Amino acid sequence: MNRGTFFCIDGHTCGNPVRLVTSGHPHLEGATMSEKRQHFLKDYDWIRQALMFEPRGHDMMSGSFLYPPCTEDGDISILFIETSGCLPMCGHGTIGTVTFALERGLLHPKQPGLAKLDTPVGRVDAHYEMRDGKVNWVKLFNVPAFLAYEKQVIHVPELGEFSVDIAYGGNFYIIVEPQSLFSGTHNSTADQLVAMSRKLREAVNAQIECVHSEDPTVRGATHVLWTGDPKNSGSSAANAVFYGDKAIDRSPCGTGTSARMAQLFTQGRLQQGEDFVHESYIGSQFIGRVEGVTEVAGKVAILPSIQGWARRTGANCITVDDDDPYAYGFQVI
């Protein structure tokens, strides 16, 4: 019988939800978080569905579990859950998780101001500023990001042809810049972007194989990053990231910002050490930067950082019981 009680801290990172689950953790086998993620997907995905989907969640919901570190010098491990699945990495989710865990005493870094995180894609360092029991900001030093495919022409049934780049920043992103069939996020409604995103993502994955060379479990172009003109004068660029089945990220998207910076740097449009202020669909901002340059499987890659903030909005206790016909959630597409 799959049933349980899950205590949660709810909040958001720059507008996008984060639900940190603080109890009901299943025991996961594996030496790394990548291996533990595979175990969770195989045997415990019902927990994700119950906590993320309606009626306990919603289409934009994302969250996390904290686990002991997998490395000797690590402070803690993070497992990411959301409506789209069990993500390899989630930037906004990490910022929210670190913020809530620090404020509620669930995370005690060995070095104050720096939390060393083990994630399914590897080590992510989170620098933070905390005053009077509140975390003011978190700056993530993400895994290497790179431009995987450039100027790919994709025929999308019922829509036409799109030219896209595909970049990796912890997840694979289909990056769409303004062109004949898309004039920019500033000229598009969320409904329009969602409708186009589903068809475009399906077409891209039918034509192009996206697999990380160092971890074949990280595969598929899961997100669509639409670009456009920012609303705020202090922003470098704007984006609207589609994920799941009908979600537009309310934050500027951390792994998406990493992927976007990798694309721009590789194409000579962003310099190392230059601030890249990325704006979300609702106008919130992350501060990104190319901190260094490396390579992944022979491709130029960047070492990205992303800085943002999160706020707690409440706490709850969620019960999942098999006698509820909607115990494992549902979606209305």
Side-chain angles (χ1 to χ4, degrees):
M1 300 288 286
N2 291 330
R3 58 180 62 181
T5 300
F6 303 88
F7 289 91
C8 308
I9 300 170
D10 279 354
H12 68 92
T13 299
C14 290
N16 215 51
V18 180
R19 172 169 285 169
L20 173 57
V21 188
T22 61
S23 70
H25 296 54
H27 173 74
L28 300 179
E29 298 175 353
T32 67
M33 282 310 295
S34 178
E35 292 175 355
K36 292 179 187 295
R37 171 177 173 256
Q38 295 307 307
H39 184 196
F40 182 92
L41 285 168
K42 177 178 177 290
D43 292 338
Y44 298 107
D45 199 45
W46 67 267
I47 298 176
R48 176 189 68 84
Q49 295 176 44
L51 299 182
M52 298 291 102
F53 292 150
E54 296 181 65
R56 298 165 190 82
H58 52 74
D59 291 318
M60 268 59 65
M61 183 60 77
S62 65
S64 61
F65 284 92
L66 295 175
Y67 280 90
C70 298
T71 56
E72 289 187 5
D73 65 334
D75 289 308
I76 209 158
S77 296
I78 305 179
L79 177 78
F80 303 103
I81 56 175
E82 67 169 46
T83 53
S84 67
C86 191
L87 289 181
M89 174 58 189
C90 181
H92 97 274
T94 302
I95 292 171
T97 297
V98 169
T99 297
F100 308 157
L102 287 167
E103 291 180 351
R104 297 304 296 268
L106 303 175
L107 171 59
H108 303 279
K110 301 177 185 69
Q111 179 182 337
L114 170 61
K116 296 182 178 181
L117 314 172
D118 295 327
T119 77
V121 294
R123 169 59 56 80
V124 172
D125 286 340
H127 294 250
Y128 62 89
E129 179 184 83
M130 190 171 188
R131 292 181 183 174
D132 301 324
K134 293 277 191 177
V135 175
N136 294 325
W137 52 260
V138 176
K139 183 176 183 179
L140 305 179
F141 286 75
N142 197 13
V143 295
F146 56 89
L147 180 60
Y149 296 96
E150 191 173 8
K151 294 181 173 61
Q152 299 293 304
V153 177
I154 305 297
H155 176 73
V156 183
E158 301 177 20
L159 295 179
E161 287 189 344
F162 285 84
S163 176
V164 305
D165 293 343
I166 301 174
Y168 174 82
N171 303 288
F172 282 103
Y173 284 79
I174 303 162
I175 301 176
V176 191
E177 298 189 273
Q179 52 196 274
S180 61
L181 295 179
F182 167 65
S183 60
T185 54
H186 50 286
N187 292 323
S188 306
T189 67
D191 281 348
Q192 290 170 334
L193 295 176
V194 167
M196 291 192 296
S197 294
R198 288 200 205 102
K199 296 175 181 178
L200 175 59
R201 183 175 62 185
E202 182 179 359
V204 166
N205 283 296
Q207 298 175 47
I208 298 174
E209 185 177 45
C210 296
V211 182
H212 198 288
S213 60
E214 296 175 358
D215 186 350
T217 68
V218 180
R219 58 175 57 243
T222 52
H223 297 62
V224 183
L225 191 156
W226 303 90
T227 71
D229 296 337
K231 303 172 185 175
N232 301 312
S233 60
S235 298
S236 307
N239 85 120
V241 168
F242 169 83
Y243 65 95
D245 290 312
K246 56 178 179 180
I248 294 292
D249 200 328
R250 274 62 171 154
S251 83
C253 190
T255 54
T257 298
S258 299
R260 177 73 162 142
M261 289 193 297
Q263 176 214 26
L264 295 174
F265 176 83
T266 304
Q267 295 175 346
R269 295 189 280 164
L270 180 67
Q271 303 304 310
Q272 183 175 343
E274 179 183 350
D275 279 352
F276 179 71
V277 182
H278 212 192
E279 183 180 289
S280 74
Y281 192 73
I282 66 169
S284 57
Q285 297 169 318
F286 282 165
I287 302 172
R289 185 178 296 167
V290 178
E291 302 286 352
V293 183
T294 183
E295 68 174 45
V296 175
K299 290 182 178 292
V300 173
I302 66 166
L303 300 173
S305 68
I306 309 99
Q307 181 175 321
W309 53 267
R311 296 291 184 270
R312 284 182 290 136
T313 57
N316 62 48
C317 175
I318 297 175
T319 300
V320 181
D321 197 315
D322 280 343
D323 68 4
D324 179 354
Y326 302 122
Y328 309 120
F330 60 84
Q331 287 181 291
V332 178
I333 303 301

